[in-house]
Amino acid sequence: MKIASWNVNSLKVRQQHVLDWLKESDVDVVCLQEIKLVDEKFPTKAFEEAGYNLAVHGQPTYNGVAIISKHPLEDVRRGLPGDKSDDQARYLEAAISCQDGIVRVASIYLPNGNPVDTEKYPYKLKWMERLRKHAVKLLAAEERFVLAGDYNVIPTADDVHDAEAWSGDALFRLETRQAFRKIVNLGLTDAYRACHTEPHQYTFWDYQGGAYRKNHGIRIDHLLLSPQAADYLQGCAIDQYVREWEKPSDHVPIWCELELAA
DNA sequence: ATGCCGGGCGAAGCCCGA
């Protein structure tokens, strides 16, 4: 089963990109972030006609996450537990069942957190702690799961073109990396790092200043696997070529393959 | 270079992203 994550930066603008990429990548499941749509405006028909099942947790203008799957979606959960006052659509979870078994998948759009001297940064850190607590609960079930998303976290200096320049940024500052490690160190596997050791592989390049041309990127989109899922990990890749399409998202898809039949 | 792009909203210019 191939499971992907992609921050599309507006599904309205990127709908055809997603349909084209689904066709050629042949992934089973893609977790989308920043769809920037309310549920009613989701292009349900286009994806259903292409043969996909959908779960959507939308919101006007900002945020919004979705899961698009060839296989049926069950036990859909909208929103990250732990704060009833949080109305930002950043978390969606569903169980995907195919003939070789079930994998629980979450689409995550973790808060950016900049500027760090505003309420945005503590919101990010609290959100990460809520995610950690939720991961503890998921792990207790001893199931296969993939937490896929735009984490807005640069895990190490190898995951950014200029670590010095990013040292104070909400995506890279020490507290952020510590909070991320607290999640990973519960026993999750960063699928990309489990399959690749080479540094400076990125999933995001800013639109500004020719960042893509200069390869000034960051690796912030991650697939975190439970031990039960990591046992079946066969490969992981970043589809960087999508960044060269006409009017691209600033993020590219990342996917992993679980060989469930093995 | 915390706004150089690019999107939303809505019809000009501000808010937001990373």
Side-chain angles (χ1 to χ4, degrees):
Chain A
M1 186 187 289
K2 283 171 85 170
I3 299 168
S5 179
W6 190 7
N7 179 325
V8 292
N9 184 22
S10 168
L11 185 60
K12 189 179 164 193
V13 175
R14 236 66 67 184
Q15 178 179 335
Q16 197 56 49
H17 279 202
V18 176
L19 287 164
D20 291 346
W21 177 79
L22 277 170
K23 197 168 184 182
E24 63 183 77
S25 68
D26 199 36
V27 299
D28 293 273
V29 183
V30 61
C31 297
L32 301 180
Q33 300 88 35
E34 284 207 87
I35 62 170
K36 299 185 177 177
L37 292 171
V38 291
D39 294 13
E40 302 73 51
K41 293 215 174 141
F42 195 94
T44 304
K45 203 173 170 188
F47 286 96
E48 285 184 347
E49 282 175 356
Y52 293 92
N53 302 280
L54 308 168
V56 182
H57 184 35
Q59 175 182 327
T61 314
Y62 306 118
N63 311 317
V65 287
I67 302 174
I68 299 177
S69 168
K70 283 184 185 174
H71 313 290
L73 296 148
E74 292 159 13
D75 193 19
V76 176
R77 304 175 187 173
R78 289 174 180 80
L80 183 65
D83 183 356
K84 287 194 173 70
S85 69
D86 182 5
D87 55 7
Q88 299 190 31
R90 297 179 173 275
Y91 187 91
L92 177 65
E93 185 187 304
I96 314 282
S97 54
C98 71
Q99 59 175 16
D100 296 317
I102 298 172
V103 181
R104 185 169 293 278
V105 172
S107 184
I108 291 169
Y109 179 43
L110 205 146
N112 174 300
N114 281 307
V116 294
D117 59 351
T118 66
E119 70 293 339
K120 289 172 189 285
Y121 192 58
Y123 173 67
K124 174 177 191 156
L125 292 177
K126 281 177 195 153
W127 208 96
M128 292 179 83
E129 177 58 15
R130 284 164 60 199
L131 180 61
R132 191 191 67 79
K133 287 197 170 119
H134 187 57
V136 168
K137 282 187 187 147
L138 291 175
L139 282 162
E142 300 187 355
E143 293 173 347
R144 288 188 288 242
F145 68 77
V146 178
L147 305 181
D150 174 2
Y151 280 75
N152 274 315
V153 174
I154 300 165
T156 75
D158 283 347
D159 302 309
V160 53
H161 70 281
D162 183 351
E164 189 62 36
W166 286 80
S167 59
D169 193 278
L171 279 66
F172 190 57
R173 74 196 319 247
L174 183 57
E175 277 176 283
T176 305
R177 286 181 283 126
Q178 284 174 328
F180 184 71
R181 285 200 292 267
K182 277 187 81 172
I183 298 168
V184 175
N185 290 344
L186 293 170
L188 304 181
T189 295
D190 175 341
Y192 192 76
R193 275 289 163 249
C195 297
H196 303 277
T197 54
E198 65 270 33
H200 308 298
Q201 304 300 304
Y202 307 130
T203 62
F204 169 91
W205 297 261
D206 203 294
Y207 289 120
Q208 301 175 86
Y212 185 69
R213 182 175 44 80
K214 293 186 258 187
N215 197 26
H216 288 180
I218 49 180
R219 190 173 72 92
I220 56 173
D221 299 272
H222 307 297
L223 305 168
L224 300 187
L225 276 52
S226 71
Q228 293 78 11
D231 285 346
Y232 298 87
L233 179 61
Q234 286 297 313
C236 183
I238 297 167
D239 281 355
Q240 182 175 330
Y241 68 93
V242 174
R243 190 64 174 76
E244 290 163 31
W245 286 0
E246 192 92 11
K247 276 176 82 75
S249 169
D250 39 9
H251 296 249
V252 296
I254 177 170
W255 55 268
C256 69
E257 179 152 30
L258 306 181
E259 197 66 53
L260 298 183

